């Protein structure tokens, strides 16, 4: 039930990080992985990283906020690899700026990448899923789909919208055997978050590191590989009756009020 043999999986923005870990997991479950990134150099680095893992992934340069470019990429994937069975909308950005200092252009850019792009890419793959009578769409949501936090107004607005887009795709296309679900990662230990986990000059933990570990029942940052099992589940026939659900892989943060300060 959890095998993905013969399936074509498109993971957006999967040259590195969370997208790379998920794509690698889908490949190891049998899927043929294709991915995109916004620059050729990132696609090339991604292809080399997949090769190092023994995975024959195919990469495409595409700006997922450009509808014409996305439609062209999807058509090319269908011609060169096959109809996309699994879509993981992973590409995203964040701008940590106090709301009263953020420009409308900056706000729109985050909304464009984190919300409009999943709409555009989903819209591009759904017609072939309808013809095939099956499809899996996985949106990478966030704990900010549920919570607010200072300096991330645009990101939280986008991820909250992505949660509702997920539910609406389920509502609109569930009768055609298309399942759309979300994964909401917690705080993941990636190279991008490494500075937040480094020891301070006095040997103490970074304040944000202490904050996250205190807010997480697991008491630690999560590993990107811990998203693989949930992603394979939502991409496989094991989840055929799961639709419109956001699976939070957060170590328990959303269930927890946090430790009392000492």
């Amino acid at each position: 039930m959890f095998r993905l043999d013969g399936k074509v999986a498109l993971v957006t923005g999967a040259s590195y990080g969370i997208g790379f870990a998920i794509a690698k997991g889908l490949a190891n479950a049998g899927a043929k992985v294709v991915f995109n990134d916004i620059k050729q150099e990132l696609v090339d680095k991604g292809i080399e990283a997949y090769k190092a893992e023994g995975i024959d992934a195919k990469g495409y340069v595409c700006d997922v906020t450009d509808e014409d470019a996305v439609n062209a990429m999807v058509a090319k994937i269908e011609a060169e690899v096959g109809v996309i069975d699994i879509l993981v909308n992973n590409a995203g950005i964040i701008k940590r700026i106090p709301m009263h200092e953020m420009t409308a252009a900056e706000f729109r850019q985050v909304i464009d990448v984190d919300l409009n792009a999943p709409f555009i890419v989903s819209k591009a793959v759904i017609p072939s899923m309808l013809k095939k009578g099956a499809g899996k769409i996985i949106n990478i949501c966030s704990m900010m789909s549920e919570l607010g936090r200072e300096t991330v107004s645009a990101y939280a607005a986008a991820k909250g919208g992505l949660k509702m887009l997920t539910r609406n795709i389920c509502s609109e296309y569930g009768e055609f055997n298309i399942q759309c679900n979300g994964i909401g990662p917690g705080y993941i230990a990636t190279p991008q978050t490494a500075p937040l986990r480094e020891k301070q000059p006095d040997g103490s933990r970074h304040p944000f590191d202490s904050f996250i570990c205190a807010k997480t029942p697991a008491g630690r940052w999560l590993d990107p590989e811990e998203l693989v099992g949930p992603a394979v589940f939502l991409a496989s026939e094991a989840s055929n009756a799961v639709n419109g659900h956001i699976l939070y892989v957060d170590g328990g943060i959303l269930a927890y009020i946090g430790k009392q300060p000492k």
Side-chain angles (χ1 to χ4, degrees):
M1 291 176 69
F2 295 91
R3 292 297 303 173
L4 303 175
D5 302 285
K7 304 293 186 182
V8 176
L10 167 61
V11 186
T12 65
S15 296
Y16 57 90
I18 288 173
F20 178 80
I22 288 174
K24 184 173 69 170
L26 298 179
N28 289 335
K32 173 65 177 177
V33 167
V34 295
F35 71 98
N36 84 291
D37 220 311
I38 199 165
K39 296 178 181 178
Q40 185 66 54
E41 63 190 74
L42 292 173
V43 170
D44 293 341
K45 286 181 180 179
I47 289 172
E48 288 304 311
Y50 286 108
K51 281 183 180 176
E53 297 287 343
I55 296 168
D56 181 23
K58 194 166 180 61
Y60 297 82
V61 177
C62 181
D63 177 353
V64 288
T65 68
D66 182 334
E67 187 170 9
D68 290 338
V70 168
N71 289 338
M73 177 184 69
V74 168
K76 196 171 183 183
I77 292 169
E78 290 187 353
E80 296 179 351
V81 185
V83 170
I84 294 163
D85 301 285
I86 301 157
L87 166 64
V88 182
N89 281 310
N90 165 76
I93 61 169
I94 187 169
K95 290 183 180 291
R96 295 181 177 89
I97 304 171
M99 182 175 163
H100 69 283
E101 297 176 5
M102 177 175 262
T103 66
E106 289 168 330
F107 187 91
R108 288 191 195 100
Q109 184 185 8
V110 176
I111 297 295
D112 207 21
V113 177
D114 293 357
L115 180 57
N116 289 343
F119 164 78
I120 289 169
V121 185
S122 298
K123 178 174 174 283
V125 304
I126 284 172
S128 290
M129 289 181 174
L130 288 170
K131 289 178 185 175
K132 198 166 188 176
K136 301 280 187 176
I137 298 173
I138 302 170
N139 292 323
I140 303 303
C141 296
S142 167
M143 289 182 299
M144 298 301 109
S145 297
E146 301 289 344
L147 301 172
R149 188 170 180 272
E150 63 275 8
T151 76
V152 294
S153 58
Y155 185 79
K159 292 299 186 177
L162 186 57
K163 174 183 70 174
M164 293 311 300
L165 178 63
T166 300
R167 291 176 176 172
N168 206 79
I169 292 172
C170 156
S171 302
E172 197 160 348
Y173 298 102
E175 67 178 293
F176 303 104
N177 194 32
I178 295 172
Q179 290 86 46
C180 182
N181 294 288
I183 293 176
Y187 285 88
I188 309 294
T190 64
Q192 291 91 332
T193 60
L196 299 174
R197 291 176 278 110
E198 290 178 352
K199 293 287 186 182
Q200 300 300 285
D202 63 0
S204 64
R205 295 169 73 174
H206 191 290
F208 193 77
D209 182 24
S210 298
F211 167 70
I212 291 306
C213 291
K215 283 290 293 178
T216 307
R220 62 178 177 83
W221 290 67
L222 308 180
D223 189 275
E225 301 298 325
E226 291 178 288
L227 298 170
V228 171
V232 170
F233 166 64
L234 292 177
S236 73
E237 292 185 3
S239 62
N240 281 354
V242 180
N243 209 354
H245 178 72
I246 313 299
L247 176 53
Y248 290 100
V249 186
D250 64 356
I253 289 179
L254 288 174
Y256 189 45
I257 196 171
K259 291 181 180 178
Q260 180 177 331
K262 294 181 180 178

